[in-house]
């Protein structure tokens, strides 16, 4: 996962390339009889052409505006929703891993459960810390009060958790792996979505960690199944 310095460097490089292109286009406009203000921003200086969102036209920004835009990683709705839901997603994983301590037969399953718990507990704390810094869950969002089974991919249903609590030995191992593989795949899907839709660099970094760690654990669990 790229860190903030690398991300901003990439944004600055892109802005510089766009500025150079704007200068070339300005020269072309002048040679072809274009207006004196062609290729210039509101301040009269060469403009940076910023691509618009899908379906939107490109915008003409001053160098100062482009610099501010490239440095803006303010959390958006996708970032906030991801953090809020991933906290609960991780919390359910901890419920499942706790059960493995007494019910699992395989030493490999027990070690895997310990590894998952060791990774996700600090991630929950990091996400809660991010929420405190960035305003927490949006007001009026009903999903903040539970009932995520149908909204978050990979979450085990109440019935599935009941079956897991009632299982022991080899039966527990098989069901635990089945549910945890689905759970991890759901987390990877959520993390992939926020990388495409979010805007906040710390959230991108957390999502990247989830993808790397849980993808590795999925491969391990598939080998154990």
């Amino acid at each position: 996962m790229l860190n903030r310095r690398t991300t901003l460097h990439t944004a600055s490089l892109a802005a510089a390339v766009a500025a150079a292109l704007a200068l070339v286009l300005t020269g072309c406009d002048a040679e072809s009889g274009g207006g004196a203000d062609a290729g210039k921003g509101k301040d009269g200086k060469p403009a940076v052409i910023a691509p618009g969102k899908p379906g939107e036209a490109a915008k003409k920004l001053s160098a100062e505006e482009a610099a501010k835009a490239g440095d803006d990683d303010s959390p958006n709705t996708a970032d906030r929703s991801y953090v809020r839901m991933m906290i609960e997603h991780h919390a359910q994983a901890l419920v499942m891993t706790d059960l493995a301590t007494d019910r699992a037969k395989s030493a490999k399953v027990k070690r895997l459960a310990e590894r998952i718990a060791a990774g996700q507990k600090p991630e929950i704390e990091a996400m809660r810390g991010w929420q405190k810094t960035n305003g927490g869950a949006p007001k009026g969002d009903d999903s903040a009060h539970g009932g995520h089974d149908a909204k978050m991919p990979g979450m085990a249903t109440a019935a599935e958790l009941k079956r897991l609590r009632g299982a022991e030995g080899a039966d527990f191992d098989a069901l635990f792996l089945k549910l945890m593989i689905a759970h991890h795949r759901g987390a990877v899907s959520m993390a992939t979505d926020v990388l495409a839709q979010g805007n906040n660099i710390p959230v991108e970094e957390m999502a990247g960690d989830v993808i790397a760690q849980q993808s590795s654990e999925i491969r391990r669990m598939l080998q154990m199944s």
Side-chain angles (χ1 to χ4, degrees), residues 100 105 122 147 194:
K105 177 181 180 180
V194 80

Side-chain angles (χ1 to χ4, degrees), residues 44-201:
K45 298 179 181 179
V48 174
I49 307 302
K53 297 179 181 179
E56 295 182 358
K59 297 180 180 179
K60 196 161 54 175
L61 305 176
S62 68
E64 290 77 9
E65 290 171 333
K68 290 180 180 179
D71 194 35
D72 181 15
D73 72 333
S74 301
N76 61 16
T77 300
D79 294 315
R80 297 181 189 280
S81 295
Y82 170 80
V83 171
R84 183 186 68 252
M85 292 192 296
M86 192 58 79
I87 288 174
E88 184 165 342
H89 204 272
H90 275 22
Q92 187 184 76
L94 295 183
V95 170
M96 296 165 67
T97 56
D98 283 346
L99 294 173
T101 303
D102 298 325
R103 291 171 172 76
K105 177 181 180 180
S106 169
K108 289 184 178 180
V109 170
K110 290 184 178 182
R111 287 196 296 270
L112 173 69
E114 291 172 356
R115 177 188 177 95
I116 292 172
Q120 296 198 18
K121 285 179 181 177
E123 287 178 355
I124 288 176
E125 293 307 312
M127 289 186 287
R128 284 175 174 163
W130 183 94
Q131 281 188 323
K132 290 179 180 178
T133 303
N134 293 278
K139 294 181 179 179
D141 191 329
D142 292 336
S143 64
H145 304 291
H148 285 318
D149 283 5
K151 296 182 179 180
M152 286 193 293
M155 288 285 279
T157 65
E160 288 171 333
L161 287 178
K162 183 177 180 179
R163 285 177 54 205
L164 189 63
R165 290 189 176 98
E168 293 184 4
D171 290 340
F172 176 90
D173 294 346
L175 184 56
F176 175 85
L177 290 172
K178 177 183 177 180
L179 295 180
M180 192 59 78
I181 288 171
H183 201 270
H184 272 33
R185 283 174 171 163
V188 170
S189 175
M190 292 166 63
T192 301
D193 286 344
V194 80
L195 288 180
Q197 301 170 14
N199 186 63
N200 186 247
I201 291 174

